Amino acid sequence: MKLLPIVTALAALTACTSTSTLETGTTDDESAKRDAKPLATLSVSNPSTFDRDDVFVPVQVWAGSQAVPTQMIDADGDGDYDDLAFLTSLAAQGSKSFSIDQRAQDLQISKRTQAEVSIKQGGEWQDKKYLGGSFKNVTQVTPPPQYTDHSEYIRYEGPGIESDKIGYRVYLDWRNGFDIFGKKTEQMVLQKVGQDGYQSYHEMADWGADILKVGSSLGAGGYGYWNGSDVVLVSDTGPRSVKIDVNGPLYSGMTISYPQWNTGKQVVDLAAELSMRAGSPVVDVNLSTSSPLDNIAVGLVAHPGTELITGDLDITGEAWSYVASIGKQSLFDDTLGMFVLFKKRDFVQQTRDKSSYVVVLEPRGNTLQYAFGALWEGGHHSIQSKADLVAYLNQEVERRTLAPRIAIATEKSKQALQTPPTAAAIKLAESEIARRGDSLIYGKFDDVRERRTQWTYTTGLLMEALDDVSELTGDNRFSSYATDIMDSYLGEDEAIKGYQPENYNIDDINSGKMIQRLYARTGDAKYRAAIDAMATTLETHPRTSDGAYWHKKKYPHQLWLDGVYMGMPFLAGVGNMQSDPHKVEAAAHEFLIARERLRDPESGLYYHAWDEAKQQVWADSETGRSKYFWSRGLGWYAMALVDILDVIPAERSDLRQPLMAIVPELADSLIKHQAESGAWYQITDMPEAPGNYLEASGTAMFTYFLAKAVNQGYLPPSYKPAAEKAYKGLVAEFISIDANGDWHLNNICEVAGLGFGRDGSYHYYMSERLVSDDPKGYGPAIMATVQMAKLLNSRE
């Protein structure tokens, strides 16, 4: 099962605030307790302006297979426990610090989640009924062929899952119904539901009752296939089965398997992973199919008299939204609110059929993630009105979109600080190749981007980084890998497979720099053809009135700092190749336009983007500038600045000198905003702002800029300490080493752009999710490490 990293016993954790230490459990040796050496330390921060209770904090454990006295999960199925998480409460904009160590603790954790399935044993089948016997919980079951609805074989007709807030059941038969157990207590109740048959849990009891009529609908958040007019339920399948994956105190989960599901259009195997966390009424669902579907429909039963509520959809792709219903729709004629949660990127449409409110979603390859839940007036976690439901949902989508900020340091990862930069560059490169394999070959599925591979800027960025490692070390493994990946995009019928010049997307030019390297080495005509294809596009690429290249055709009149990196070093290289000085001049001029239009004279920092038309929602009505200094945006510009100086001919001092003058000016501004650790914040100049965090990709880019500028003589040796501090911050804050010895880069802002639901607000820059090992951070981190190796003369 593909689990969220899971559940701690607080026994292994010591939580402390700035004013006190919160200790759990006792030992006979208080001195040893105080002096225990942590295996890891971490801090957790709340980015929201409201308090968060029962915050589920996923933490990767690097203590190998040594058990600590907690519930732990073998998330990757290798036989060793490797995932740990815990719950904490965070005040609005507050933080807490924790340590993980090996102190003995004797702490009993209250059970706050449960997943179960129970079948009858000791009786016998008569036709489609199971007579006699008694119920017994099992970890997995595949009902026999004669099993159907009301066979009295599975207690409450399928598996159940609950938290301390609410419970759910899924009919393990042709109906595949999703039903709700409303709970009046925070105690676990599923184990006693239905022991005396089906009827009892339809009557109100001290614990609660079954509160929803499902009928032939999607029920409380079920899934199916949208055929254009109706939902095709998961009814026509082979023998379905369920497995209880985790039944723990703070997190529980199960997997339901549906072989040979006939959608009416194709037949696929479907697996549904359902999980719940303590303190939440929400079920997280991960669906996977044996082959891709063009859609999956999720939704809610559409009872008469209910009101449909739709959340904000003018948001960024990875942000969460919702569709909900509310009304007197429980079986006891009181208020019940139900909802499905999904990411904007996956949303296709909201519609309905005769039984259900429907949300049509587009899977990412073979997988889809969404969630569902309910709040009941009569329940322990109750609501009274539409306003209550909307208030809860608005906070829930923020909790999901703005994850807690987690910074962790382990004893194992501290080894990275002792690793010389050349060896570190090799480890980073080897780890990335091992993770990626051939997934970046044209036509494969890119697990990081969650889509089929295509010609994009991150491929060339990462391949250049790997090529840099070969140039540093003389080890051709990395450049050979990079060459194979790039070659897969070049063809005889088209110079670059999938390249769409009509989009005038400056990002698509970046990978051309790796092609330029390969052409310089080999002279191969296929590389020249690819370069010519991109160069031809740039000849007609739209530009602002002062000559800056639009970021994309669909982003008219806009200069982004990102685009300076993506296009200008390549354009200057084309000018040299074609003996066309005008192209070199245009590339150099773009840096000066960016400085004029985007630099803030007071801080010396550059805003993310400029809209010449001053029409975009994010643009200042007077200046056309966006509102914030985004570190990665400025990082792209900083890297481009030292890279283009490699390309502009030495005799063109008229072009080189203005750019070289920008280098110390920018370096001084960056150093002023460098955190004590050496890293930089997501919003460069706002370290104290709520939710702001130290970010890996911007830090890597600024490290590269400083180190390379010193290496190339654009900065004097007096800047070497700043570069070293930046590198130490990059390693200490963001690099981790897992139990297998593979290196990772963490806390990378996955993406940040402007327009199309991205309003350029501070909240927007905080809302983009943080990921690990994304090439936008990983590539620059390798490049920075290579430059530090050169700076420190490290050639181990």
Side-chain angles (χ1 to χ4, degrees), residues 124-162:
E124 62 180 2
W125 283 97
Q126 288 191 12
D127 193 18
K128 294 184 179 182
K129 293 280 188 181
Y130 193 91
L131 304 181
S134 59
F135 288 112
K136 180 180 179 180
N137 277 27
V138 293
T139 58
Q140 61 184 73
V141 63
T142 302
Q146 67 269 34
Y147 176 78
T148 186
D149 60 290
H150 299 91
S151 285
E152 301 183 8
Y153 173 64
I154 301 178
R155 186 160 54 88
Y156 55 79
E157 300 194 273
I161 191 167
E162 68 176 318

Side-chain angles (χ1 to χ4, degrees), residues 98-111:
F98 303 86
S99 64
I100 303 173
D101 58 43
Q102 295 174 305
R103 290 170 289 176
Q105 301 282 342
D106 184 18
L107 178 66
Q108 298 298 316
I109 306 175
S110 298
K111 190 162 179 60

Side-chain angles (χ1 to χ4, degrees), residues 630-636 695 697-698 701 748-752 776:
W630 177 45
S631 285
R632 185 160 78 227
L634 185 48
W636 290 124
E695 198 276 330
S697 64
M701 292 174 178
I748 305 169
C749 173
E750 185 178 37
V751 66
K776 294 183 287 294

